[in-house]
Amino acid sequence: MNNPSLQAALVVPFVAAMVVLACRNPRVATAVALAFGVCEEVVLGSIVWMLHTRGVLVSGAYLRADGLTAVFILNLGLVFVLVLVYAAGYLRHLPSERFSSPRWFYALLYLFLFTMLGAYLSANLGLLWIVMEGTTLASALLVGFYNTEGAVEAGWKYLVVCTVGLAFALFGTIVLYLAAVKAGIPQTAALDWASLNELAPKLVHSRELVKLAFVFLLIGYGTKVGFVPMHLWLPDAHAEAPTPISAMLSAGLLNCAMYALLRYDSIVSRATLSSFSHHLLLAFGAASLVIPGLLMLVQRDLKRLLAYSSVEHMGIIATGIGLGGALGLYGALLHTFNHSVAKSLLFFSAGSVRENMGTLRMDRIAGLSRLLPWTSSGLVLGGLAIVGLPPFSLFVSEFAILNEAFSQAKFLVATVVLGTLTLVFGAFAFHFMRMIAGDPHQPAFASGSKTSPLEFAVMGVCTACLITFGLWVPTGFQSLLRHAVEVVQR
């Protein structure tokens, strides 16, 4: 039975982009963007609720959602509303000549949302690839939105690297289709992920093609995730993009690509090739943990530091998926949510630093605790959360992944994770202590902080989520996570 909510989830952001683009007045554009944001949140909330009660929603041959989709849609919906509200305050303080206009910003942001939701709701793996390419086009324009030399270069680098990576993903999709047809799966079902999940045992007859397909898919979608060594676009893009977009990239786009890999890993695992896909994920996860952890020690720009932290946390999520057990998958899915909230808080705090200090070079910033006490609090709380200290929620998800590693006697994996977390803690402590403590390089601001109440409100919501989920994961959210784990392992 067709469910109109899935279609509405895609129609609302597309219409919003067109309407906002027609608004010439910046205040009107902001008001319209916020109004459509409320509508979209209602639609997404209804989809998550129906998935919680019904399990699966279908609309036609190309739109489908299940328990795994619910977790990622809930994540994206929260991040998007936080970014939208934060941008309403943030855009007022930026020099108008550096932006095309707020209406273009909001229009592109809604198109970005449209493409990510398209990826989550795609029932067809070919359509999934198309909309993933669409996420690249929409977000590349947002990365270069400042229109400075560095921003344009970062936008082009992101566009080229991710397009090349997705070419690998396209080849992998074609190879998997050939493997399915060769194994006797009907052509009409050879790109439908639900059908492939059911008929996956037949793929054992084309196991070499399936292995080849997964290698190309892991490289392709792993480029969008930011796995090492395909991560080269990510630090530049995060550093040069407007702060709300940096948060959207780290907390939204990377999860979107990880979702695609989860779908393929589920198919490959059902084809009795779980050890092959999981070993590859563990290898990429380890590289994406250790190398960014080392690079974080020598960073000078705050947003580049946070960008490498995003790569590291994608490595943690890949490790949880690669372990393959129920607790590891539970921890990985919970970590996608926890990392999104924590990284949003840190990027929002970095935006406040940029607004008030005029720079993100950490060696030029000191005495933030005196100049910007509330922003400093956001940085400290976000820093404590992102390194996995209790009582923040990332401790819970990382503990679950480590528990799975120890229960499987994979002590090398656990050692790599623990060693990297220690290294990352040292990097954040070193950089943040220099910025927050000491004597300011400039006198206190006569007019006070430029950060708007909207921006502080969003940072407060992020902090509340991190502490709440660290002390108690709500029962409804636990149910969504367990259902998602069952979808992957079924």
Side-chain angles (χ1 to χ4, degrees):
M1 182 172 132
N2 289 342
N3 191 295
S5 296
L6 301 185
Q7 299 172 11
L10 297 175
V11 170
V12 171
F14 186 82
V15 172
M18 300 301 105
V19 174
V20 170
L21 197 57
C23 298
R24 299 288 179 177
N25 187 299
R27 291 187 177 180
V28 173
T30 299
V32 170
L34 291 172
F36 272 103
V38 173
C39 296
E40 183 66 2
E41 291 301 309
V42 171
V43 174
L44 294 180
S46 68
I47 290 175
V48 171
W49 175 253
M50 285 187 286
L51 288 172
H52 177 63
T53 54
R54 302 182 192 177
V56 177
L57 298 177
V58 179
S59 181
Y62 294 102
L63 297 180
R64 183 184 180 92
D66 59 13
L68 182 62
T69 316
V71 172
F72 282 89
I73 283 182
L74 179 64
N75 191 338
L76 179 60
L78 175 62
V79 171
F80 179 75
V81 73
L82 291 174
V83 166
L84 196 63
V85 174
Y86 180 87
Y90 182 82
L91 292 180
R92 296 186 304 168
H93 303 297
L94 294 171
S96 57
E97 67 271 8
R98 297 184 66 185
F99 272 85
S100 299
S101 66
R103 67 190 181 101
W104 275 103
F105 178 88
Y106 288 119
L108 290 171
L109 182 62
Y110 270 105
L111 288 177
F112 191 22
L113 175 67
F114 169 79
T115 55
M116 286 190 288
L117 284 173
Y120 288 140
L121 299 178
S122 295
N124 184 282
L125 296 178
L127 179 60
L128 173 63
W129 180 86
I130 292 172
V131 290
M132 284 298 296
E133 185 68 81
T135 64
T136 305
L137 298 176
S139 52
L141 293 171
L142 287 166
V143 168
F145 205 65
Y146 276 122
N147 204 29
T148 62
E149 183 178 348
V152 172
E153 180 181 350
W156 275 109
K157 184 177 182 179
Y158 166 58
L159 183 64
V160 171
V161 173
C162 288
T163 299
V164 172
L166 286 175
F168 280 84
L170 176 60
F171 186 75
T173 304
I174 294 171
V175 173
L176 183 64
Y177 173 82
L178 294 175
V181 172
K182 183 180 178 181
I185 296 176
Q187 293 183 9
T188 54
L191 283 178
D192 182 85
W193 57 256
S195 299
L196 285 174
N197 276 335
E198 294 178 6
L199 303 173
K202 290 186 177 182
L203 292 174
V204 71
H205 303 296
S206 306
R207 56 189 308 125
E208 298 306 320
L209 282 176
V210 174
K211 288 181 179 180
L212 179 64
F214 189 77
V215 169
F216 279 100
L217 290 163
L218 185 57
I219 294 173
Y221 288 120
T223 303
K224 293 295 290 282
V225 172
F227 286 153
V228 172
M230 298 88 71
H231 70 291
L232 299 178
W233 64 270
L234 196 146
D236 291 336
H238 283 59
E240 296 293 341
T243 294
I245 302 307
S246 297
M248 200 70 176
L249 289 172
S250 184
L253 178 65
L254 305 190
N255 287 345
C256 190
M258 189 67 78
Y259 170 84
L261 286 178
L262 260 171
R263 286 297 184 196
Y264 281 105
D265 176 67
S266 177
I267 295 169
V268 173
S269 296
R270 285 175 171 83
T272 68
L273 295 171
S274 60
S275 60
F276 176 78
S277 61
H278 290 168
H279 287 162
L280 283 177
L281 284 167
L282 287 174
F284 276 99
S288 301
L289 276 164
V290 175
I291 294 177
L294 293 170
L295 290 173
M296 287 168 65
L297 292 170
V298 297
Q299 294 307 305
R300 297 182 179 181
D301 184 276
L302 177 56
K303 286 175 72 175
R304 290 182 72 88
L305 173 71
L306 300 180
Y308 280 110
S309 172
S310 294
V311 177
E312 175 240 336
H313 281 277
M314 290 303 107
I316 292 175
I317 294 169
T319 300
I321 299 170
L323 289 170
L327 189 57
L329 282 170
Y330 177 90
L333 292 172
L334 179 58
H335 201 73
T336 60
F337 178 84
N338 293 337
H339 169 255
S340 296
V341 178
K343 195 53 60 67
S344 296
L345 172 59
L346 284 169
F347 273 117
F348 295 155
S349 300
S352 179
V353 173
R354 175 65 179 270
E355 285 180 281
N356 291 279
M357 306 298 291
T359 181
L360 288 172
R361 284 288 298 268
M362 292 183 286
D363 56 351
R364 298 177 184 174
I365 302 172
L368 275 181
S369 59
R370 301 182 191 179
L371 297 174
L372 303 169
W374 288 106
T375 298
S376 298
S377 299
L379 283 175
V380 170
L381 292 172
L384 293 174
I386 208 68
V387 299
L389 292 181
F392 299 99
S393 57
L394 282 89
F395 172 80
V396 178
S397 51
E398 289 172 356
F399 184 82
I401 293 171
L402 285 169
N403 198 344
E404 182 66 41
F406 281 116
S407 67
Q408 295 184 17
K410 293 185 177 178
F411 301 115
L412 179 60
V413 173
T415 302
V416 170
V417 174
L418 286 172
T420 301
L421 291 176
T422 304
L423 188 65
V424 169
F425 174 81
F428 270 97
F430 172 72
H431 292 303
F432 280 20
M433 283 297 293
R434 290 200 308 170
M435 289 192 298
I436 293 170
D439 296 322
H441 294 167
Q442 62 187 79
F445 310 111
S447 59
S449 172
K450 297 179 182 178
T451 308
S452 74
L454 279 177
E455 295 169 74
F456 281 129
V458 170
M459 293 160 63
V461 171
C462 292
T463 303
C465 286
L466 291 172
I467 295 175
T468 300
F469 278 72
L471 298 174
W472 170 69
V473 179
T475 305
F477 192 67
Q478 285 193 52
S479 178
L480 286 177
L481 290 173
R482 286 195 295 268
H483 189 193
V485 171
E486 292 173 0
V487 168
V488 176
Q489 290 191 321
R490 187 182 306 150

Coordinates of all heavy atoms in Angstrom, one line a residue, residues 9-53:
A9 N 7.6 13.9 2.3 CA 8.9 14.2 2.9 C 9.9 14.7 1.8 O 10.8 15.5 2.2 CB 9.5 12.9 3.5
L10 N 9.7 14.3 0.6 CA 10.5 14.8 -0.5 C 9.9 16.1 -1.2 O 10.7 16.9 -1.6 CB 10.7 13.7 -1.6 CG 11.4 12.5 -1.1 CD1 11.4 11.4 -2.2 CD2 12.8 12.8 -0.7
V11 N 8.6 16.2 -1.2 CA 8.0 17.3 -1.8 C 8.2 18.6 -1.0 O 8.5 19.6 -1.6 CB 6.4 17.0 -2.0 CG1 5.7 18.3 -2.5 CG2 6.2 15.9 -3.0
V12 N 8.1 18.5 0.3 CA 8.1 19.7 1.1 C 9.5 20.4 1.0 O 9.5 21.6 0.7 CB 7.9 19.4 2.6 CG1 8.2 20.6 3.5 CG2 6.4 19.0 2.8
P13 N 10.6 19.8 1.1 CA 11.9 20.5 0.9 C 12.1 21.0 -0.5 O 12.7 22.1 -0.7 CB 13.0 19.5 1.3 CG 12.3 18.1 1.2 CD 10.9 18.4 1.5
F14 N 11.6 20.3 -1.5 CA 11.8 20.7 -2.9 C 11.0 22.0 -3.1 O 11.5 23.0 -3.7 CB 11.4 19.6 -3.9 CG 11.6 20.0 -5.3 CD1 12.9 19.8 -5.9 CD2 10.6 20.5 -6.1 CE1 13.2 20.2 -7.2 CE2 10.9 20.8 -7.4 CZ 12.1 20.7 -8.0
V15 N 9.7 22.0 -2.7 CA 8.9 23.2 -2.8 C 9.5 24.3 -2.0 O 9.5 25.5 -2.4 CB 7.4 22.9 -2.3 CG1 6.6 24.2 -2.3 CG2 6.8 21.9 -3.3
A16 N 10.0 24.0 -0.8 CA 10.6 25.0 0.1 C 11.7 25.7 -0.6 O 11.8 27.0 -0.6 CB 11.0 24.4 1.4
A17 N 12.5 25.0 -1.3 CA 13.7 25.6 -2.0 C 13.2 26.5 -3.1 O 13.8 27.6 -3.2 CB 14.5 24.5 -2.7
M18 N 12.1 26.2 -3.8 CA 11.6 27.0 -4.9 C 11.0 28.3 -4.3 O 11.2 29.4 -4.8 CB 10.6 26.3 -5.7 CG 11.1 25.0 -6.4 SD 12.5 25.3 -7.5 CE 13.9 24.7 -6.6
V19 N 10.2 28.2 -3.2 CA 9.6 29.3 -2.6 C 10.6 30.3 -2.0 O 10.5 31.5 -2.2 CB 8.5 28.8 -1.6 CG1 7.9 30.0 -0.9 CG2 7.4 28.0 -2.3
V20 N 11.5 29.7 -1.3 CA 12.5 30.6 -0.6 C 13.3 31.3 -1.6 O 13.7 32.5 -1.5 CB 13.5 29.7 0.3 CG1 14.6 30.6 0.8 CG2 12.7 29.2 1.5
L21 N 13.6 30.7 -2.8 CA 14.4 31.3 -3.8 C 13.7 32.5 -4.4 O 14.3 33.5 -4.9 CB 14.7 30.3 -4.9 CG 15.8 30.7 -5.9 CD1 17.2 30.9 -5.1 CD2 16.0 29.5 -6.9
A22 N 12.4 32.5 -4.3 CA 11.6 33.6 -4.9 C 11.5 34.8 -3.9 O 10.9 35.9 -4.3 CB 10.2 33.1 -5.2
C23 N 11.9 34.6 -2.6 CA 11.8 35.7 -1.6 C 13.0 36.6 -1.7 O 14.2 36.2 -1.4 CB 11.7 35.1 -0.2 SG 10.3 34.0 0.0
R24 N 12.8 37.8 -2.1 CA 13.9 38.8 -2.2 C 14.4 39.4 -0.9 O 15.5 39.7 -0.7 CB 13.5 39.9 -3.2 CG 13.2 39.4 -4.6 CD 14.4 39.0 -5.4 NE 14.1 38.6 -6.7 CZ 15.0 38.2 -7.6 NH1 16.3 38.3 -7.3 NH2 14.7 37.8 -8.8
N25 N 13.4 39.5 0.0 CA 13.7 40.1 1.3 C 14.4 39.0 2.2 O 13.8 38.0 2.4 CB 12.5 40.7 2.0 CG 12.8 41.4 3.2 OD1 13.3 40.9 4.2 ND2 12.4 42.7 3.2
P26 N 15.6 39.3 2.8 CA 16.2 38.3 3.6 C 15.4 37.8 4.8 O 15.4 36.7 5.2 CB 17.5 39.0 4.1 CG 17.8 40.0 3.0 CD 16.4 40.5 2.6
R27 N 14.7 38.8 5.5 CA 13.9 38.4 6.6 C 12.7 37.5 6.2 O 12.4 36.6 6.9 CB 13.4 39.7 7.3 CG 14.4 40.5 8.0 CD 13.9 41.6 8.8 NE 14.9 42.4 9.5 CZ 14.7 43.4 10.3 NH1 13.4 43.8 10.5 NH2 15.7 44.0 10.9
V28 N 12.1 37.8 5.1 CA 11.0 37.0 4.6 C 11.5 35.6 4.2 O 10.9 34.6 4.5 CB 10.3 37.7 3.3 CG1 9.3 36.7 2.7 CG2 9.7 39.0 3.7
A29 N 12.7 35.6 3.6 CA 13.3 34.3 3.2 C 13.6 33.4 4.4 O 13.3 32.2 4.5 CB 14.6 34.5 2.4
T30 N 14.0 34.1 5.5 CA 14.3 33.3 6.8 C 13.0 32.8 7.4 O 12.9 31.7 7.8 CB 15.0 34.3 7.7 OG1 16.3 34.7 7.2 CG2 15.3 33.5 9.1
A31 N 12.0 33.7 7.4 CA 10.7 33.3 8.0 C 10.1 32.1 7.2 O 9.6 31.2 7.8 CB 9.8 34.5 8.0
V32 N 10.2 32.2 5.9 CA 9.6 31.1 5.1 C 10.4 29.8 5.3 O 9.8 28.7 5.4 CB 9.6 31.5 3.6 CG1 9.3 30.4 2.7 CG2 8.6 32.7 3.3
A33 N 11.7 29.9 5.3 CA 12.5 28.7 5.5 C 12.2 28.1 6.9 O 12.1 26.8 7.0 CB 14.0 29.1 5.5
L34 N 12.0 28.9 7.9 CA 11.6 28.3 9.2 C 10.3 27.7 9.2 O 10.0 26.6 9.8 CB 11.7 29.4 10.3 CG 13.1 29.9 10.6 CD1 13.0 31.1 11.6 CD2 14.0 28.8 11.3
A35 N 9.3 28.3 8.5 CA 8.0 27.8 8.4 C 7.9 26.4 7.7 O 7.3 25.5 8.2 CB 7.0 28.8 7.7
F36 N 8.7 26.3 6.6 CA 8.7 25.0 5.9 C 9.5 24.0 6.7 O 9.2 22.8 6.7 CB 9.4 25.2 4.6 CG 8.5 25.6 3.4 CD1 8.4 26.9 3.0 CD2 7.7 24.6 2.9 CE1 7.6 27.2 1.9 CE2 6.8 24.9 1.8 CZ 6.8 26.2 1.3
G37 N 10.4 24.5 7.5 CA 11.2 23.6 8.4 C 10.2 22.9 9.4 O 10.3 21.7 9.7
V38 N 9.3 23.7 10.0 CA 8.3 23.1 10.9 C 7.5 22.1 10.2 O 7.2 21.0 10.7 CB 7.4 24.2 11.5 CG1 6.2 23.6 12.3 CG2 8.2 25.2 12.3
C39 N 7.0 22.4 9.0 CA 6.2 21.4 8.2 C 7.0 20.1 7.9 O 6.5 19.0 8.1 CB 5.8 22.0 6.9 SG 4.7 23.4 7.0
E40 N 8.3 20.3 7.6 CA 9.1 19.1 7.3 C 9.3 18.2 8.5 O 9.3 17.0 8.5 CB 10.4 19.5 6.7 CG 11.3 18.3 6.3 CD 10.8 17.5 5.1 OE1 9.7 17.8 4.6 OE2 11.4 16.5 4.7
E41 N 9.5 18.9 9.7 CA 9.7 18.1 10.9 C 8.5 17.3 11.3 O 8.5 16.2 11.8 CB 10.1 19.1 12.0 CG 11.4 19.7 11.9 CD 12.6 18.7 11.8 OE1 12.6 17.8 12.7 OE2 13.4 18.8 10.9
V42 N 7.3 17.9 11.0 CA 6.0 17.2 11.3 C 5.9 16.0 10.4 O 5.6 14.9 10.9 CB 4.8 18.1 11.1 CG1 3.5 17.3 11.1 CG2 4.8 19.2 12.1
V43 N 6.3 16.1 9.1 CA 6.2 15.0 8.2 C 7.2 13.9 8.6 O 6.9 12.7 8.7 CB 6.5 15.4 6.8 CG1 6.6 14.2 5.8 CG2 5.4 16.4 6.3
L44 N 8.4 14.3 8.9 CA 9.5 13.3 9.3 C 9.1 12.6 10.6 O 9.3 11.4 10.8 CB 10.8 14.0 9.4 CG 11.4 14.5 8.1 CD1 12.8 15.2 8.4 CD2 11.6 13.4 7.1
G45 N 8.5 13.4 11.6 CA 8.1 12.8 12.8 C 7.0 11.8 12.6 O 7.0 10.7 13.3
S46 N 6.1 12.1 11.7 CA 5.0 11.1 11.4 C 5.6 9.8 10.8 O 5.1 8.7 11.1 CB 3.9 11.7 10.5 OG 4.5 12.0 9.2
I47 N 6.6 10.0 9.9 CA 7.2 8.8 9.3 C 7.9 7.9 10.3 O 7.7 6.7 10.3 CB 8.2 9.2 8.2 CG1 7.4 9.8 7.0 CG2 9.0 8.1 7.7 CD1 8.3 10.4 5.9
V48 N 8.6 8.6 11.2 CA 9.3 7.8 12.3 C 8.3 7.1 13.1 O 8.5 5.9 13.5 CB 10.2 8.7 13.1 CG1 10.8 8.0 14.3 CG2 11.4 9.3 12.3
W49 N 7.2 7.8 13.5 CA 6.2 7.1 14.3 C 5.5 6.0 13.6 O 5.3 4.9 14.2 CB 5.1 8.2 14.7 CG 4.0 7.6 15.5 CD1 2.7 7.3 15.1 CD2 4.0 7.1 16.8 NE1 2.0 6.7 16.0 CE2 2.7 6.6 17.1 CE3 5.0 7.0 17.8 CZ2 2.4 6.0 18.4 CZ3 4.7 6.4 19.1 CH2 3.4 6.0 19.3
M50 N 5.2 6.1 12.4 CA 4.6 5.0 11.6 C 5.5 3.9 11.5 O 5.1 2.7 11.5 CB 4.1 5.5 10.3 CG 2.8 6.4 10.3 SD 2.1 6.8 8.7 CE 3.3 8.0 8.2
L51 N 6.8 4.1 11.3 CA 7.8 3.1 11.2 C 7.9 2.3 12.5 O 8.1 1.1 12.6 CB 9.2 3.6 10.7 CG 9.3 4.0 9.3 CD1 10.6 4.8 9.0 CD2 9.1 2.8 8.3
H52 N 7.8 3.1 13.6 CA 7.9 2.5 14.9 C 6.7 1.6 15.2 O 6.9 0.5 15.8 CB 7.9 3.6 16.0 CG 7.9 3.1 17.4 ND1 8.9 2.4 17.9 CD2 7.0 3.3 18.4 CE1 8.7 2.1 19.2 NE2 7.5 2.6 19.5
T53 N 5.6 1.9 14.6 CA 4.3 1.1 14.9 C 4.1 0.1 13.8 O 3.5 -1.0 14.1 CB 3.1 2.0 15.0 OG1 3.0 2.8 13.8 CG2 3.2 2.9 16.2

